[in-house]
Amino acid sequence: MIAIPVEHCLLLSVMLFCLGLLGVLVRRNIIFVLMSMEIMLNAIGLAFVSGGARWGQADGQVMFLLVITLAAAEVAIGLALVLQLYQRYRTLDIETISKMKG
């Protein structure tokens, strides 16, 4: 079995994280921002798993489970905000979040 070098995995992880960060900074639609944040969390998970595989420890996989849990919570809260935003203002523009009052 041919092993993938850890440098390639980390390079892919950095590229995915930068792509997600670019999506968060550039996009104005809240759905695309949430998707970009998911890409960033997946990049972090890939870095943990590749680091854990490099040192032969299961710590990276345990951290990836925590990242998946964080991503699930982020999706639940983010979709609740999206529904509230669309119900009140009939738009998904991220600038209208500042108009919401507690």
Side-chain angles (χ1 to χ4, degrees):
M1 186 162 108
I2 300 172
I4 300 173
V6 71
E7 292 85 14
H8 293 172
C9 291
L10 290 178
L11 181 64
L12 177 64
S13 177
V14 166
M15 288 190 314
L16 281 174
F17 190 84
C18 290
L19 181 68
L21 184 64
L22 183 67
V24 167
L25 294 176
V26 171
R27 291 292 191 168
R28 295 179 57 120
N29 190 335
I30 195 165
I31 298 291
F32 287 112
V33 170
L34 287 174
M35 286 175 22
S36 297
M37 290 175 66
E38 287 294 323
I39 290 173
M40 291 169 61
L41 287 172
N42 284 330
I44 292 168
L46 177 63
F48 279 134
V49 169
S50 64
R54 165 69 175 92
W55 289 292
Q57 300 290 326
D59 296 343
Q61 294 170 355
V62 171
M63 290 301 293
F64 184 66
L65 288 175
L66 293 174
V67 168
I68 287 176
T69 306
L70 178 70
E74 180 247 336
V75 165
I77 293 172
L79 288 178
L81 282 173
V82 166
L83 288 174
Q84 271 305 95
L85 185 69
Y86 187 75
Q87 185 179 12
R88 287 189 185 179
Y89 298 108
R90 298 286 181 219
T91 184
L92 292 178
D93 189 19
I94 202 151
E95 298 295 325
T96 58
I97 292 177
S98 63
K99 295 179 185 176
M100 293 181 77
K101 297 179 184 174

